[in-house]
Amino acid sequence: MSHKIDRSFKLIFWGAELGEFNVKGKIYDNKYEVSTEASGKSIIRFFSRFKISSGAIGNINDREELIPIQSMTKWNTRGKFRQTQLRYDDGKLIQFDASPELIKDFHIKNPIGSSNTIDPVSLVLELLIKRAENKICEKKLIILDGFRMSELSFETKSNFQDRIICSGKIKRSQGFKPSDLAKKPLKFKIVYSLINMNNFDLSRVEIETIFGKMVLKSF
């Protein structure tokens, strides 16, 4: 399990292209590093621009699971800068820092000590790693950004010649408004395309958000 990742995606919402999402990653010696950059127009405020830069490093265990060590995300929206940082020790969250403006009353009060979770930046790499057919869409993942916790799980997996289409859901569990916790899980679909005789590569993601369908399309 050793390779580099350099991918770019178009961010499409309501059929309109709103921005780009770029990912660079490297896997070597049972370690990983990944950086992402998203930029474009805000989904909520279509006339404002945003830029989100993120990075994460970690280890990969014998079961090919990503174990984060550190993750950081920086936002630049309408000239305002905010950031979060998570640090781990042996898979357990030991530090979480965030700009005060990002913290809400309904967020998790103290995420320190949470274990067996994956941060959103490492999650991107998890989904982009080239894998054989029998290793695609098999894991259940607990996602923690420091504020909120969700569970990602796959429900169906279908083969179509040189493609595999996986469908699943993201269930909110902690750190959300009570009204959001009562909502149905977010549905998603991931399309993997065959790149050689053994491995598949992610080519498209569709997520049913509360605002409508958001699509990430490889280019």
Side-chain angles (χ1 to χ4, degrees):
M1 195 176 184
S2 176
H3 58 267
K4 293 183 178 181
I5 292 174
D6 188 352
R7 302 292 305 279
S8 295
F9 298 84
K10 293 180 180 179
L11 173 60
I12 301 170
F13 191 74
W14 286 347
E17 185 177 333
L18 296 184
E20 292 186 7
F21 183 62
N22 302 303
V23 185
K24 291 183 182 295
K26 183 167 65 171
I27 297 173
Y28 59 99
D29 298 332
N30 294 323
K31 301 181 184 299
Y32 73 87
E33 57 186 57
V34 57
S35 63
T36 71
E37 183 175 287
S39 60
K41 299 176 183 177
S42 170
I43 293 176
I44 301 175
R45 298 178 178 87
F46 288 99
F47 296 105
S48 65
R49 306 288 298 183
F50 71 86
K51 182 176 180 180
I52 306 173
S53 302
S54 303
I57 59 174
N59 297 319
I60 302 176
N61 64 19
D62 294 338
R63 298 187 297 276
E64 297 187 358
E65 297 170 334
L66 304 189
I67 311 298
I69 294 176
Q70 186 172 4
S71 175
M72 179 180 289
T73 299
K74 297 181 178 181
W75 288 264
N76 180 357
T77 307
R78 292 176 291 167
K80 296 181 179 180
F81 295 87
R82 300 176 176 88
Q83 70 175 30
T84 63
Q85 180 176 251
L86 301 97
R87 291 181 60 242
Y88 304 79
D89 182 16
D90 196 23
K92 180 182 292 186
L93 185 65
I94 60 172
Q95 181 181 339
F96 172 57
D97 299 310
S99 299
E101 304 91 336
L102 296 173
I103 301 172
K104 307 298 181 184
D105 291 339
F106 50 82
H107 285 159
I108 297 173
K109 301 303 180 186
N110 183 15
I112 303 303
S114 300
S115 58
N116 300 318
T117 67
I118 189 169
D119 64 277
V121 190
S122 298
L123 173 66
V124 172
L125 182 64
E126 168 70 35
L127 297 176
L128 286 178
I129 292 174
K130 301 177 180 65
R131 300 183 189 275
E133 180 181 344
N134 64 338
K135 294 186 178 181
I136 292 177
C137 311
E138 296 296 326
K139 296 179 180 179
K140 180 180 291 185
L141 301 167
I142 305 298
I143 308 163
L144 175 65
D145 64 1
F147 306 110
R148 298 162 292 259
M149 185 180 291
S150 303
E151 180 181 278
L152 181 150
S153 59
F154 294 97
E155 297 179 315
T156 64
K157 178 178 174 180
S158 304
N159 292 58
F160 297 92
Q161 294 181 346
D162 60 348
R163 293 183 302 158
I164 294 177
I165 299 179
C166 303
S167 298
K169 63 183 179 182
I170 301 174
K171 182 181 179 182
R172 309 169 185 88
S173 56
Q174 295 183 47
F176 294 87
K177 293 179 180 179
S179 58
D180 289 333
L181 287 172
K183 293 177 180 176
K184 294 181 178 180
L186 300 175
K187 297 288 187 178
F188 68 86
K189 182 185 295 183
I190 301 178
V191 179
Y192 288 91
S193 299
L194 183 66
I195 55 174
N196 56 42
M197 292 299 293
N198 299 312
N199 292 315
F200 287 78
D201 214 354
L202 186 149
S203 58
R204 182 183 177 96
V205 178
E206 298 178 7
I207 305 175
E208 296 290 348
T209 74
I210 59 175
F211 303 106
K213 181 186 289 186
M214 181 175 69
V215 178
L216 286 170
K217 183 179 180 182
S218 177
F219 71 94

